[in-house]
Amino acid sequence: FGDFVNGAQVVIDQFLSSGEAKWGRLCGLVMFLPHGYEGQGPEHSSARLERFMQLCSNDNIQVCIPSTPAQMFHMIRRQILMGTRKPLIVMTPKRLLRNKASTSSLDELASGSYQLVIDDALVTDKGRVKRVVLCSGKVYYDLRQERRARGITDIAIVRLEQLYPFPHDDFEKCVLRYKNLKELVWCQEEPMNQGAWYSSQHNFRRVLNKHYPNRYLEYVGREPSAAAAAGYAALHEQQQQQFINEALK
C-alpha cells in the first residue's frame, strides 16, 4: 500500500500537475476523490485538499467541489467541451449522495452552466446582511440547516464551487451585492492547517481590501491538527457543532 501511495504521489507531482510546464503535454484526466468529514475517522475523511492546492500555479489544474447534481453534470460537461485540456480534481463528499437537500431539477440539468460561485438565493434582502459565510462542499448544508433551525435571516451563506483557478470576477460580483458587509467568514470542515484556508485567504482579502477596507476576514473551522480528522465520532460532532456555532454567531 505504501508503494502504491508513493507511486500515486509521484505521478500527480511529476506528471499531472507539472506536465504542461515541463514538456507542454496537456492532460484532461478527471480525479474524483472521496473527501467528507462524516465522523468515520482520519483515513475516511480527507483527500488532502491542501496538497492539491499547493500544486496549483499558472492555471495548471482545476480543483472543484460541486454541491448539487446539476453542478456535477455541468462540471463534467465543461471538462469535455473546453477548448484545452486541464486536469480536474474533484472533492466528493459521500454524504451528499444521501442528502435530500442536495438535489436539482430537470431544468437545472438541461440548461445553464457550471457556477463557480453560488450566491445565497434564500436571502431576499441582501441589504440586511452584515455577515457572509463563505464555504465549499457539504458543510454548506450543515450551515443552512442550522441557520434555518435558529431562524437567522441576516447571515448569508455563499458557496465557492471552484477553488482553483480562483474565480476572481464571480466572487467579486457576489460580494458586492452585500452593500452593508461587515464580516466575511471562511468556514471549512478541515483543520486550520489543512483544507483551502491558507491557499485561498489572499484571494478573499484582495476583494475586501479593494471594496471593503477595514473589514474583517475570519477563519472558522477545526483547530490545527496533525491528523486529518478526529478518531472518535463524538469528538467529530462536538468539533463540528462548535465551528458551526462560531460561523453563525
Side-chain angles (χ1 to χ4, degrees), residues 61-117:
I61 61 177
Q62 308 163 88
V63 181
C64 297
I65 310 182
S67 60
T68 68
Q71 281 287 92
M72 179 70 74
F73 170 75
H74 290 301
M75 177 192 66
I76 298 172
R77 180 175 178 271
R78 180 187 69 168
Q79 181 72 2
I80 296 173
L81 297 177
M82 66 189 303
T84 186
R85 301 288 90 190
K86 297 285 184 179
L88 172 61
I89 313 301
V90 186
M91 300 288 144
T92 57
K94 296 178 182 178
R95 185 168 292 181
L96 288 188
L97 297 173
R98 303 182 298 273
N99 193 319
K100 295 181 180 180
S102 178
T103 57
S104 300
S105 66
L106 291 178
D107 289 339
E108 290 172 327
L109 288 164
S111 60
S113 60
Y114 188 64
Q115 301 179 68
L116 308 182
V117 179

Side-chain angles (χ1 to χ4, degrees), residues 11-246:
V11 171
I12 292 170
D13 294 348
Q14 299 297 329
F15 297 95
L16 189 67
S17 65
S18 59
E20 183 178 356
K22 291 194 290 188
W23 307 300
R25 301 292 295 180
L26 301 180
C27 175
L29 178 69
V30 180
M31 297 180 63
F32 291 94
L33 305 177
H35 183 82
Y37 283 71
E38 299 162 354
Q40 300 301 310
E43 284 69 33
H44 294 266
S45 297
S46 179
R48 289 298 184 179
L49 169 61
E50 62 280 357
R51 293 179 180 173
F52 288 96
M53 295 300 294
Q54 189 178 33
L55 296 173
C56 294
S57 183
N58 306 120
D59 294 338
N60 61 333
I61 61 177
Q62 308 163 88
V63 181
C64 297
I65 310 182
S67 60
T68 68
Q71 281 287 92
M72 179 70 74
F73 170 75
H74 290 301
M75 177 192 66
I76 298 172
R77 180 175 178 271
R78 180 187 69 168
Q79 181 72 2
I80 296 173
L81 297 177
M82 66 189 303
T84 186
R85 301 288 90 190
K86 297 285 184 179
L88 172 61
I89 313 301
V90 186
M91 300 288 144
T92 57
K94 296 178 182 178
R95 185 168 292 181
L96 288 188
L97 297 173
R98 303 182 298 273
N99 193 319
K100 295 181 180 180
S102 178
T103 57
S104 300
S105 66
L106 291 178
D107 289 339
E108 290 172 327
L109 288 164
S111 60
S113 60
Y114 188 64
Q115 301 179 68
L116 308 182
V117 179
I118 301 181
D119 198 2
D120 195 334
L122 299 178
V123 175
T124 56
D125 187 1
K126 298 188 184 301
R128 296 185 63 245
V129 174
K130 296 183 179 181
R131 184 177 179 90
V132 172
V133 179
L134 181 65
C135 64
S136 288
K138 77 174 185 64
V139 71
Y140 162 75
Y141 294 100
D142 297 323
L143 289 166
R144 192 179 75 168
Q145 179 180 349
E146 190 67 20
R147 183 181 64 176
R148 182 188 297 114
R150 300 184 185 188
I152 298 174
T153 59
D154 58 352
I155 295 180
I157 306 173
V158 174
R159 282 171 280 178
L160 186 60
E161 301 276 294
Q162 178 170 293
L163 294 170
Y164 190 85
F166 188 82
H168 295 282
D169 293 340
D170 292 36
F171 178 67
E172 185 173 5
K173 290 177 183 177
C174 181
V175 172
L176 285 177
R177 298 187 184 112
Y178 299 93
K179 302 298 183 181
N180 297 314
L181 176 68
K182 300 297 182 183
E183 296 173 316
L184 180 65
V185 177
W186 169 254
C187 179
Q188 67 177 34
E189 297 180 293
E190 301 87 355
M192 188 178 188
N193 58 318
Q194 301 170 37
W197 167 242
Y198 283 127
S199 57
S200 302
Q201 58 178 290
H202 64 285
N203 294 312
F204 310 149
R205 287 198 169 94
R206 182 181 302 171
V207 173
L208 286 182
N209 293 337
K210 180 179 179 181
H211 299 286
Y212 299 97
N214 302 320
R215 297 301 192 270
Y216 186 59
L217 174 64
E218 179 182 353
Y219 164 83
V220 170
R222 288 178 166 85
E223 295 294 325
S225 172
Y232 300 96
L235 179 57
H236 162 84
E237 294 296 336
Q238 178 183 342
Q239 292 173 342
Q240 177 163 304
Q241 191 59 50
Q242 180 178 349
F243 72 72
I244 287 179
N245 289 339
E246 293 177 3

